[in-house]
Amino acid sequence: MIYLNGRFMPLEEAAIPVLDRGFIFGDGVYEVIPAYSRLPFRLAEHLRRLQHSLDAIGLKNPHTDAEWGALIEALIGHNAGADQYLYLHITRGVAKRDHAFPKGVTPTVFMMSNPLLPPAPELKTSGVSAITVIDNRWLRCDIKSISLLPNVLLRQQAVEAGATEAVLLRDGFLTEGSASNIFVVRDGIVLAPPKNNLMLPGITYDLVLELAAADGIPTQIGPVPEAIVKRADELWLTSSTREVLPITVLDGQAVGNGRPGPLFTRMDALYQQYKATVMRQPS
Ligand code: PDD
């Protein structure tokens, strides 16, 4: 079952008017929230980022956090499976095509759930491959915008090169992946680009830095030059659906010794432990 504008319904029954500004302009924002054991993971953080995205595009939040919480609980309840990934999508609504914001229009609110499968074990034992690509997106990558054409094209470039992810470089510095954040390990230190307008502030990114700090893993947040990315001991990608994964091949070359590194193994253990602890807590 999906949720559309106040009602739960089967996916097949859901329909959106063609003049929806999400369809016409990509005028909307979204969130992807994992749920483990039927409990949303880091919900407060996801709702805070949603608010940031809505504020950035001048769209009033159609719901309070408590309302979102209830809707999300109901969505999980309407769908099978212990682990689900929840997709929330809000557009500026339906209006005659005109770029400027329409007045008095109700936003479109859509939510769906899909089964959330943990990354296949071989992805963690062998790692994934990536290519570096010039980040040619706009300058508001902090907004989780539904206008994903640039990300789609960058990811497709990776797929056509036989790789899993595109590692994006802007003006000689690392920004993020086409649908993930990227960490670099160099000389035992975890390097991360700063959260700014050039990347999406990942919920997993924050969690990885939190877990590293709690476990005494040295981290350094700051611009990461392309040369360091290309000479990394380890590279990781992170996202809500893919957790933390090692990138072991970059542009056809081995990253470090070509195997997932020791800090990845440590971080993955911390991540799995954290997930298990959160799931045991009553909500
Ligand atoms: N994407 N950067 C980009 C461009 C992303 O699209 C994503 C996630 C991330 C990681 O953010 P988080 O850790 O909060 O998932 C970073 C989601 C999963 C998607 O579009 O499906």
Side-chain angles (χ1 to χ4, degrees):
M1 296 274 264
I2 64 98
Y3 172 91
L4 182 61
N5 296 331
R7 275 203 311 127
F8 286 93
M9 62 187 84
L11 180 63
E12 302 68 40
E13 282 176 25
I16 300 280
V18 289
L19 286 184
D20 192 285
R21 290 176 62 97
F23 183 62
I24 296 288
F25 294 120
D27 184 1
V29 296
Y30 77 108
E31 266 302 320
V32 172
I33 309 173
Y36 298 111
S37 301
R38 306 182 76 78
L39 295 174
F41 188 66
R42 299 226 131 191
L43 179 60
E45 288 82 355
H46 280 280
L47 292 179
R48 201 175 309 135
R49 184 172 65 186
L50 176 63
Q51 186 65 56
H52 169 80
S53 296
L54 288 166
D55 288 345
I57 71 160
L59 188 53
K60 188 177 171 299
N61 196 331
H63 295 298
T64 62
D65 281 5
E67 287 167 354
W68 280 119
L71 284 171
I72 285 165
E73 198 182 314
L75 180 67
I76 295 170
H78 280 298
N79 287 279
D83 297 349
Q84 305 180 14
Y85 91 78
L86 315 173
Y87 176 86
L88 276 58
H89 176 120
I90 301 140
T91 80
R92 211 179 300 278
V94 181
K96 182 174 167 295
R97 186 178 182 281
D98 179 11
H99 289 62
F101 297 177
K103 290 207 168 58
V105 168
T106 310
T108 300
V109 180
F110 167 58
M111 299 197 296
M112 65 177 166
S113 166
N114 280 294
L116 177 59
L117 303 173
E122 62 269 21
L123 298 183
K124 287 188 190 175
T125 50
S126 311
V128 300
S129 65
I131 58 167
T132 53
V133 180
I134 298 296
D135 189 345
N136 57 5
R137 301 172 302 163
W138 67 336
L139 296 173
R140 289 306 309 271
C141 296
D142 55 309
I143 302 173
K144 206 162 169 58
S145 161
I146 62 169
S147 312
L148 285 174
L149 185 57
N151 303 62
V152 165
L153 295 177
L154 292 166
R155 169 63 70 80
Q156 186 59 24
Q157 230 176 300
V159 169
E160 285 171 14
T164 301
E165 183 57 300
V167 170
L168 311 183
L169 301 167
R170 191 192 285 266
D171 301 330
F173 291 91
L174 170 68
T175 53
E176 59 180 336
S178 71
S180 59
N181 290 112
I182 305 288
F183 290 86
V184 176
V185 177
R186 181 87 185 145
D187 299 329
I189 304 172
V190 179
L191 311 175
K195 287 199 283 186
N196 57 23
N197 61 313
L198 302 181
M199 69 169 234
L200 185 79
I203 305 302
T204 322
Y205 166 102
D206 280 345
L207 180 53
V208 161
L209 290 174
E210 246 177 72
L211 294 172
D215 203 54
I217 300 173
T219 58
Q220 197 175 299
I221 298 165
V224 183
E226 177 175 345
I228 300 289
V229 176
K230 292 188 169 161
R231 279 188 277 114
D233 298 325
E234 299 183 33
L235 276 181
W236 309 340
L237 69 79
T238 67
S239 88
S240 291
T241 46
R242 292 184 290 177
E243 305 183 348
V244 186
L245 286 180
I247 297 172
T248 47
V249 177
L250 186 68
D251 295 330
Q253 307 279 314
V255 176
N257 65 6
R259 312 253 312 276
L263 278 182
F264 163 74
T265 307
R266 193 162 149 196
M267 179 51 67
D268 184 47
L270 293 171
Y271 194 88
Q272 299 309 325
Q273 234 171 51
Y274 178 86
K275 252 171 69 177
T277 326
V278 169
M279 287 183 307
R280 277 197 300 273
Q281 276 173 5
S283 54

